Amino acid sequence: MNNSIVERRPVSFALGTLGFIIALTVVSQVVLEALFPRLTGDGVALVINWIYVALSIALVAWLGWWSKIRLTARVNRGALVYLLPLSALVLLPVAFGLSLPKVSLVEGATLPGWAVLLTIVFGVALGAGVAEELLYRGVLLRALEPRGRLLAAVLTGALFGLTHFSRVILGASVEEWVLGVVLQLPLAIGLAAVAFRLDSLWPLIVWHVAADITLTMVASVSATYVLAFLGLSVIIGIMGLWLLWQDRRAARRADREPIPGGT
């Protein structure tokens, strides 16, 4: 679709997603609890997760941005090296030990271990990986790119953290949310910068799914674990800012170069 609101007013649209996601979470929770009173908080969160997936795919389809958000492009293999710091976040929970959490989707019924694993992989991680990458490193990042890559990276990074306020609505504490914003902001800036270099969204989708699997199964969230996560996130954020600075220098050089055949 040409000249959509996403292209005409990308900043307003990006900011509007914050209110939309929070409102959608509230409405979905109320409706689900009314229709299915035996659903637990985990059950409600799982259904809402896949509502986000459906809406993210619908948004891309409505815009016709399959190519624009790099779902059809080949991976820039030379940029895969920037995934190495990201892979450390996948392995971090492994270093602190993994265990399957107790999950109950319906009151009075705790899932067996194999069902918990399937729920984490296909219900939680796959859904979040697809929905969040399509929205943040896909539609929003590419819509904001004409305003400058740095603005696009910072704004989508901030929204990535702020929209997770939906977890507070679903039962998380405000303190957990604030900590999540602090941990996720530099990470999200790095993810945006890497997305620009990779030329394809698929590597980040795969990474996101893998990271959510291990992060969900970390045995204990200690102060040491949080500090290690923060350290890696800051390193990734610094890498992202460096890449964005390199992109800006390259763009300025291209602007100064004379056009072949011009005067």
Side-chain angles (χ1 to χ4, degrees):
M1 178 175 293
N2 295 322
N3 203 28
S4 67
I5 186 174
V6 183
E7 294 164 303
R8 293 195 311 270
R9 300 187 139 190
V11 175
S12 298
F13 180 82
L15 294 175
T17 59
L18 174 59
F20 176 79
I21 289 175
I22 292 174
L24 177 64
T25 303
V26 172
V27 172
S28 299
Q29 182 183 34
V30 171
V31 171
L32 287 171
E33 289 179 348
L35 293 177
F36 308 101
R38 292 193 62 204
L39 276 180
T40 63
D42 288 336
V44 171
L46 185 64
V47 175
I48 292 176
N49 189 37
W50 279 90
I51 291 175
Y52 293 153
V53 175
L55 290 177
S56 298
I57 294 173
L59 175 62
V60 177
W62 174 66
L63 293 169
W65 280 18
W66 307 107
S67 177
K68 187 167 184 173
I69 66 172
R70 281 36 175 200
L71 284 175
T72 59
R74 291 185 177 181
V75 178
N76 175 11
R77 295 184 179 180
L80 290 175
V81 64
Y82 301 120
L83 292 177
L84 290 177
L86 294 174
S87 66
L89 278 181
V90 178
L91 298 175
L92 179 64
V94 178
F96 281 81
L98 299 179
S99 66
L100 290 175
K102 291 184 178 180
V103 176
S104 176
L105 303 180
V106 179
E107 290 181 2
T110 301
L111 295 179
W114 63 269
V116 171
L117 184 59
L118 289 178
T119 300
I120 290 173
V121 174
F122 296 104
V124 178
L126 180 61
V130 171
E132 292 182 355
E133 294 307 319
L134 287 182
L135 180 60
Y136 298 103
R137 260 69 66 181
V139 172
L140 295 182
L141 188 67
R142 295 302 173 177
L144 291 164
E145 186 178 5
R147 303 296 179 93
R149 287 190 168 185
L150 180 60
L151 172 66
V154 172
L155 186 52
T156 55
L159 289 173
F160 182 67
L162 292 175
T163 51
H164 281 79
F165 185 79
S166 58
R167 294 182 179 175
V168 176
I169 298 170
L170 296 174
S173 67
V174 174
E175 291 77 11
E176 289 175 332
W177 169 66
V178 172
L179 178 60
V181 172
V182 172
L183 294 175
Q184 292 169 354
L185 179 56
L187 169 62
I189 292 173
L191 288 172
V194 172
F196 286 130
R197 292 298 181 98
L198 284 172
D199 293 334
S200 173
L201 197 58
W202 289 109
L204 287 185
I205 292 175
V206 173
W207 169 83
H208 199 137
V209 173
D212 277 0
I213 291 172
T214 58
L215 290 172
T216 303
M217 295 195 299
V218 64
S220 62
V221 181
S222 62
T224 304
Y225 173 80
V226 172
L227 288 174
F229 190 106
L230 178 60
L232 287 173
S233 182
V234 169
I235 289 171
I236 292 168
I238 292 172
M239 178 189 72
L241 291 174
W242 179 76
L243 291 175
L244 292 167
W245 179 67
Q246 292 290 331
D247 289 346
R248 186 176 182 181
R249 288 185 61 192
R252 286 182 172 179
R253 283 197 302 268
D255 289 340
R256 289 197 298 264
E257 290 178 358
I259 300 174
T263 57

